[in-house]
Amino acid sequence: MLRATSELEFSKEKNTEEISQLASLVLSGDTSTGEKNSTGLPEKTGYPDSVYIMAANVFQGIRFEKSPEKVLIKYGNEPLRSLPESEDESFQRSSYELAFSALKFQDILEAILIDSCIFPSTTIPDHLSSLIIVMLYDFQDRKFQARFVSDNEEPIAEVQEVENLLNSFKIKLAAALARCRIKHDALSIYHILPETVRNQELRASTLPLYAWINTCKISPEEVYYSLKKRGYNKVKSVLHIDDKVFAVDQHCYDVLIFPSRLKNNLLNIDLFKDYKLIFQDKSRSLAVHSVKALLNMDDDILMVNTGSWYTVAHMSILTNNNTSKIFVCGVKSQAKDPDLKNLFTKMGCKNIEILHEAFLNIESKDHRLQKVKVILLLPHCSGLGVSNPVEFILNEHEDTGVLKDFSQGGTSEDKLHILVQQQYEQLTHAMKFTKAQAVVYCTCSVYPEENEGVVKKALEFQDHGIKVQPYRLSPPVLPLCSLKEIHLSTDKFFRMEPSEITNGCFLSVLTRERDPSEAVSVKDVLARAAAKGLLDGIELGKASKREKRKKKKSKIPLSKAPTNDSNDIQMKIAEFLNRESNANANRSETLATKTSLPQKNTTTAGSSSHVRKPNKPTSNPSVPTFMKNTAQPRPYERQTNFVRSRPEDRVMALKPVEIVLPPVMLPFSGSQGIKSQIPTQHFYYRWVGPNTVLPNCFPSPSTSRRGEKPRENLPSSLLRHPRPWL
């Protein structure tokens, strides 16, 4: 017999009240995009059908499998059909986040399904079990409210079937969830998670955003100006600031930092749409800047396991002014080549070459890699130093199995051992490239086994049979900006621990020891440069007229001469060295002639030839001398200036380097005004000689006169440079 209408209405009101009371106890730690309610929290509206399908397939591959005697819910092996739009990055991000959340609460969600009698009472195919799990998590996350469905969305039959099932059991599901919370004495199921997982998620929600500047398209100053026009202010730190601000990173001059809450706003401005600013984790910027510090102008680079293509692009941008070429290995599918080339073209990258071979299959003597001097190795790692595993998977193309490790707060011993072995093999293979001079090894892991353990083992067991110098551990090439960084880098490893401002990072630089047999003199370097024609137009030494005429007759244009003719090179080297030796001899004779001038003044001032103090530079004889009682110089002073020795003409054992500083010109005309306003010691731009005077040199004019003021007190603005034409 059917119940009366009033009884049905009373039962409906009671059920609604019960659902409301139970739902109010269900709080979720995760948030999704959507409109905000009265409390300021994002309102959960659900996901499109295609996101549920993709999330179910991801969950199916990473779920925890239980022993047969403990299995209560069976999962099928067949993946669900996904739509082509699931390749979109936004759909992938939502799907990975939903699958990761369901994985963290897999045990609780299975217990709720059994407690609510959905299993095993209903006859649902096993291949839909993964879909039920991910949709149940989202259902309780929405507090068992209806999902918003767009009119433009194409419905999927499997999603509609599971959604109807969950709606029919929503009272029992809410009650089962409440009993689970009471059992664990938790305010929400979020508090049932391990503390390490909760801290990691909290850090991920507040971690600042890092973006590097594409200097091929825009300069840093232009970026600052553009951001300022949009209301962004430049500050030293973006932490605990609610305004629209940004800061410049201390380690990488082309990296900007933004608060995490501004990501959606930043993605809509032209700087990011036009690839002038690119979001990327800071650890990858640290790696490419380390490589840049080790490069010469024409050195090539080999990048291994690059993960994100933005890392390759950043390396290309930093070497845009060089003649370097970047080789990227490990691209398995050639079908991606057009897309990659299109991306690099949009970003302004021109020096990238893709290799489809796996790194371990590339021989160290490959003819394409003979100019590779630096190898950047970014091995697959556990990634436990990263706060957001979903971004880590999407950006670095890592396997989804990383989500399983993050949900437990750690990596299993077996998997860690496999990763370490792979990293060791790649590092030792990189050290076999005989032409390479440096290897940069970078991970996002916090495990010593993946970091210094791999590096030390590779250095210890490196092959010493190769006829090249062995590798050694070098100090970090990045600036150390704090005492903590200095302390962490005492063993020559660069480390950044996971914190509220950055993810974890480990970086090591290995360089070859210099081969003593390859040491060359300056003459050898110049001779090689002259033989290659690099010094054409540069006069290194004056040759005699006879040598010039002889060279003019025998000179052959370099464009017609074969580059591999050893006799021609030897002749050029011999000619260059002969010319340099003649030039040195001529300079010596000139200096000897200058020092053999009539020494009639040296006898009159023999007692004045004492050791000169370096803190009192002598005045220039060519500058007019201001006397104590008169402003006009004596007549005989100008007649004796030509025989006075200048400090630059002394025969001294100095290196062939001359420092020439410009004279200081001040707008004052009187010496008294200058003395009263400007300290004289700030304007002595003079070359101070050694404390000993050679016997062939003339005494200082300032010491040979009597009755004059010491010239070191003269204002420097009245001094004239002895050789202003230099």
Side-chain angles (χ1 to χ4, degrees):
M1 183 177 181
L2 296 177
R3 292 177 292 178
T5 304
S6 59
E7 185 179 356
L8 291 174
E9 292 177 354
F10 174 78
S11 177
K12 183 176 180 180
E13 293 177 359
K14 183 178 180 181
N15 291 339
T16 303
E17 182 180 359
E18 183 180 0
I19 293 174
S20 177
Q21 293 176 353
L22 292 175
S24 64
L25 299 175
V26 179
L27 301 176
S28 174
D30 296 318
T31 61
S32 62
T33 59
E35 298 180 356
K36 293 186 177 181
N37 54 21
S38 58
T39 61
L41 297 176
E43 187 72 27
K44 308 299 172 58
T45 60
Y47 299 95
D49 289 10
S50 57
V51 171
Y52 291 119
I53 294 295
M54 186 174 181
N57 290 334
V58 173
F59 177 82
Q60 176 68 24
I62 62 176
R63 64 180 177 82
F64 296 102
E65 297 184 1
K66 300 180 180 179
S67 58
E69 62 275 6
K70 296 183 179 180
V71 172
L72 298 177
I73 298 178
K74 296 181 180 181
Y75 295 88
N77 298 323
E78 300 178 5
L80 299 175
R81 179 182 58 88
S82 59
L83 298 177
E85 62 183 358
S86 61
E87 297 296 329
D88 183 80
E89 184 177 347
S90 61
F91 278 88
Q92 289 182 351
R93 180 175 285 103
S94 300
S95 301
Y96 285 140
E97 290 175 351
L98 182 56
F100 180 52
S101 299
L103 182 66
K104 290 183 294 185
F105 299 101
Q106 178 180 343
D107 291 340
I108 297 176
L109 295 174
E110 289 179 351
I112 292 175
L113 289 174
I114 295 173
D115 190 16
S116 62
C117 300
I118 291 182
F119 283 98
S121 60
T122 57
T123 57
I124 299 178
D126 293 343
H127 70 278
L128 293 181
S129 298
S130 297
L131 183 60
I132 293 176
I133 291 292
V134 296
M135 293 190 68
L136 174 59
Y137 172 80
D138 180 60
F139 195 30
Q140 65 82 31
D141 198 23
R142 302 196 314 267
K143 300 181 180 180
F144 299 100
Q145 300 300 314
R147 176 172 66 108
F148 172 78
V149 180
S150 175
D151 296 335
N152 299 327
E153 182 183 353
E154 181 181 355
I156 300 177
E158 292 86 351
V159 175
Q160 301 297 320
E161 180 182 357
V162 172
E163 187 171 28
N164 293 333
L165 174 66
L166 295 177
N167 283 327
S168 63
F169 278 84
K170 61 183 178 182
I171 297 177
K172 294 183 177 180
L173 289 172
L177 178 60
R179 288 191 291 268
C180 180
R181 289 179 46 253
I182 294 173
K183 177 181 178 181
H184 291 88
D185 193 19
L187 295 176
S188 68
I189 61 173
Y190 171 77
H191 293 85
I192 302 176
L193 294 174
E195 184 178 1
T196 55
V197 178
R198 283 186 280 127
N199 293 337
Q200 188 178 51
E201 291 191 351
L202 179 62
R203 187 164 58 87
S205 62
T206 59
L207 191 69
L209 304 171
Y210 291 84
W212 54 270
I213 302 173
N214 185 350
T215 52
C216 281
K217 287 179 169 288
I218 193 171
S219 66
E221 291 75 16
E222 291 174 329
V223 172
Y224 305 157
Y225 178 75
S226 179
L227 290 173
K228 187 176 181 180
K229 283 176 42 178
R230 290 172 171 81
Y232 290 85
N233 297 318
K234 185 179 178 181
V235 295
K236 292 184 177 180
S237 175
V238 300
L239 293 179
H240 314 299
I241 299 180
D242 295 333
D243 297 333
K244 297 169 67 175
V245 295
F246 71 95
V248 180
D249 185 68
Q250 293 180 325
H251 298 95
C252 306
Y253 62 88
D254 61 343
V255 174
L256 302 183
I257 312 173
F258 298 91
S260 59
R261 55 182 173 77
L262 300 177
K263 185 172 184 178
N264 292 333
N265 295 333
L266 292 170
L267 288 174
N268 293 324
I269 65 177
D270 295 338
L271 290 174
F272 286 90
K273 290 181 179 180
D274 299 337
Y275 295 102
K276 296 178 180 178
L277 278 176
I278 295 93
F279 282 126
Q280 193 169 25
D281 186 67
K282 180 181 176 178
S283 63
R284 295 317 188 221
S285 297
L286 294 173
V288 296
H289 273 274
S290 297
V291 173
K292 178 64 170 61
L294 299 169
L295 287 177
N296 292 320
M297 287 294 293
D298 58 344
D299 291 344
D300 290 347
I301 309 161
L302 177 61
M303 302 185 68
V304 184
N305 296 337
T306 54
S308 174
W309 297 114
Y310 291 153
T311 306
V312 180
H314 196 181
M315 188 78 262
S316 175
I317 298 301
L318 290 179
T319 58
N320 182 57
N321 295 327
N322 299 9
T323 57
S324 303
K325 182 179 292 186
I326 301 173
F327 294 93
V328 184
C329 64
V331 182
K332 299 179 181 180
S333 175
Q334 297 185 7
K336 295 183 178 180
D337 288 1
D339 295 335
L340 293 178
K341 291 180 180 179
N342 185 34
L343 174 64
F344 294 148
T345 301
K346 290 180 179 179
M347 301 184 70
C349 306
K350 301 178 181 178
N351 56 343
I352 301 173
E353 183 171 336
I354 299 175
L355 306 178
H356 296 284
E357 302 96 321
F359 176 59
L360 296 179
N361 295 334
I362 299 178
E363 296 183 0
S364 58
K365 297 182 180 180
D366 194 307
H367 67 280
R368 299 169 297 181
L369 309 178
Q370 293 307 299
K371 289 182 62 179
V372 169
K373 299 300 180 183
V374 183
I375 299 176
L376 175 57
L377 183 57
L378 303 169
H380 295 290
C381 63
S382 61
L384 263 297
V386 179
S387 61
N388 192 330
V390 173
E391 295 295 335
F392 180 61
I393 291 174
L394 292 175
N395 296 334
E396 302 303 325
H397 300 168
E398 291 287 344
D399 186 80
T400 55
V402 174
L403 297 175
K404 194 172 185 179
D405 299 331
F406 274 83
S407 65
Q408 294 179 313
T411 305
S412 64
E413 292 292 336
D414 294 339
K415 183 176 180 179
L416 184 62
H417 176 74
I418 295 174
L419 290 173
V420 169
Q421 184 62 28
Q422 293 175 353
Q423 295 155 1
Y424 173 74
E425 291 177 357
Q426 291 182 347
L427 181 55
T428 53
H429 187 64
M431 296 168 66
K432 294 178 182 178
F433 286 75
T434 56
K435 298 295 183 180
Q437 297 297 317
V439 178
V440 177
Y441 179 87
C442 181
T443 74
C444 300
S445 174
V446 295
Y447 290 116
E449 295 89 341
E450 295 184 277
N451 299 332
E452 54 264 40
V454 171
V455 175
K456 291 180 179 179
K457 183 179 178 181
L459 289 174
E460 181 180 358
F461 295 101
Q462 62 180 312
D463 187 5
H464 294 280
I466 305 177
K467 294 182 180 180
V468 291
Q469 291 297 105
Y471 276 100
R472 63 180 177 182
L473 190 62
S474 296
V477 293
L478 296 168
L480 303 178
C481 304
S482 65
L483 293 176
K484 184 178 182 181
E485 291 181 5
I486 296 175
H487 176 71
L488 293 174
S489 303
T490 53
D491 53 357
K492 297 185 179 181
F493 295 116
F494 183 87
R495 298 183 182 88
M496 294 187 68
E497 295 180 343
S499 64
E500 62 177 353
I501 60 174
T502 181
N503 287 321
C505 175
F506 172 86
L507 197 145
S508 176
V509 177
L510 306 181
T511 57
R512 291 195 189 275
E513 298 178 3
R514 184 177 297 276
D515 191 351
S517 63
E518 296 181 357
V520 293
S521 63
V522 177
K523 284 189 175 182
D524 294 335
V525 175
L526 293 175
R528 292 179 182 178
K532 293 181 179 181
L534 300 178
L535 300 182
D536 284 356
I538 301 177
E539 187 177 4
L540 298 176
K542 292 184 178 179
S544 63
K545 294 182 178 179
R546 181 180 301 177
E547 291 176 349
K548 289 182 178 180
R549 289 195 297 267
K550 184 178 179 181
K551 181 179 179 182
K552 186 175 182 180
K553 293 180 181 179
S554 61
K555 185 175 180 181
I556 302 175
L558 292 177
S559 59
K560 298 181 180 180
T563 58
N564 57 353
D565 191 351
S566 60
N567 294 331
D568 185 42
I569 294 177
Q570 293 296 333
M571 289 176 61
K572 289 185 178 181
I573 294 175
E575 179 184 352
F576 174 76
L577 294 178
N578 185 28
R579 189 175 68 180
E580 286 300 302
S581 60
N582 293 338
N584 292 333
N586 293 335
R587 283 194 290 269
S588 300
E589 292 177 2
T590 304
L591 292 176
T593 303
K594 289 183 179 180
T595 56
S596 61
L597 294 174
Q599 300 182 4
K600 57 183 179 181
N601 288 344
T602 58
T603 57
T604 61
S607 60
S608 301
S609 181
H610 57 83
V611 178
R612 184 176 57 172
K613 296 182 180 180
N615 59 345
K616 293 183 179 181
T618 59
S619 61
N620 193 334
S622 62
V623 179
T625 305
F626 288 84
M627 303 301 295
K628 182 175 182 180
N629 297 323
T630 178
Q632 300 294 330
R634 296 181 181 180
Y636 68 85
E637 290 180 352
R638 298 180 62 183
Q639 299 176 3
T640 58
N641 281 345
F642 73 96
V643 298
R644 292 178 182 173
S645 170
R646 295 186 303 187
E648 293 83 353
D649 293 333
R650 295 184 179 181
V651 181
M652 307 175 69
L654 296 176
K655 295 182 178 180
V657 176
E658 184 175 359
I659 300 177
V660 180
L661 299 177
V664 178
M665 305 301 294
L666 295 177
F668 302 104
S669 58
S671 61
Q672 298 298 328
I674 299 174
K675 289 182 180 180
S676 62
Q677 297 187 33
I678 302 177
T680 58
Q681 64 270 18
H682 290 176
F683 295 91
Y684 281 115
Y685 294 88
R686 301 297 306 274
W687 177 281
V688 181
N691 294 336
T692 59
V693 178
L694 298 180
N696 293 334
C697 298
F698 292 101
S700 173
S702 62
T703 59
S704 63
R705 295 184 183 179
R706 297 180 181 180
E708 294 183 9
K709 281 187 177 182
R711 295 194 180 181
E712 61 270 9
N713 294 328
L714 286 177
S716 59
S717 63
L718 299 177
L719 297 178
R720 299 293 181 182
H721 197 275
R723 292 189 286 179
W725 57 84
L726 293 179

